[in-house]
Amino acid sequence: MADSGALIIQAHPFREAAYIDHIRLFPCHIHGVEIENACRTESQNRMAKLYAEHYGFLEFAGTDNHIGSRQKQLAGICTDQPVCDVEDFIEKVKGKKTKIFTIVNE
């Protein structure tokens, strides 16, 4: 992977759905993996965590919220300091200065 300054995170790598004919993994072309997705099953999230740990990837979280406030659980990443711009975000992520969070949306 050329170091062009981009940050490539593979979202929900172990998602199974009728419209997905097979799982595709790209360990030589990514920096990180979404290991916590609030809309996926625990087994899919566990597989993503094992994948990330095996390759030493950066770990991400997300929600895939397509239903707004009706979403029962939320997941994402946060930082201790505000993010100033895209470059600052990438620096914080690559420097492992982010934390994964999950919350129940009541």
Side-chain angles (χ1 to χ4, degrees), residues 10 13 20-26 51:
Q10 186 172 6
I20 300 173
D21 60 359
H22 62 279
I23 292 172
R24 295 172 177 92
L25 302 176
F26 304 98
Y51 176 51

Side-chain angles (χ1 to χ4, degrees), residues 7 60 77 83 85-94:
L7 178 67
F60 257 66
I77 62 168
V83 175
D85 52 31
V86 172
E87 291 79 16
D88 185 41
F89 175 75
I90 291 172
E91 184 179 313
K92 281 177 171 48
V93 171
K94 286 184 174 180

Side-chain angles (χ1 to χ4, degrees), residues 2 4 7 12 17 21-22 25 30 32 37-38 42 59 63 65 69 73 75 80-81 87 93 95 97-98 101:
S4 62
L7 178 67
H12 38 70
D21 60 359
H22 62 279
L25 302 176
I30 64 174
N37 183 296
E42 283 304 311
E59 297 180 358
T63 299
N65 186 354
S69 63
Q73 184 175 348
D80 289 335
Q81 299 295 319
E87 291 79 16
V93 171
K97 294 184 171 137
T98 61
F101 71 85

Side-chain angles (χ1 to χ4, degrees), residues 12 15 19 37 39-40 63-71 74:
H12 38 70
R15 171 176 281 175
Y19 62 90
N37 183 296
C39 298
R40 297 297 107 209
T63 299
D64 268 340
N65 186 354
H66 298 272
I67 58 174
S69 63
R70 294 176 294 150
Q71 182 67 42
L74 303 171

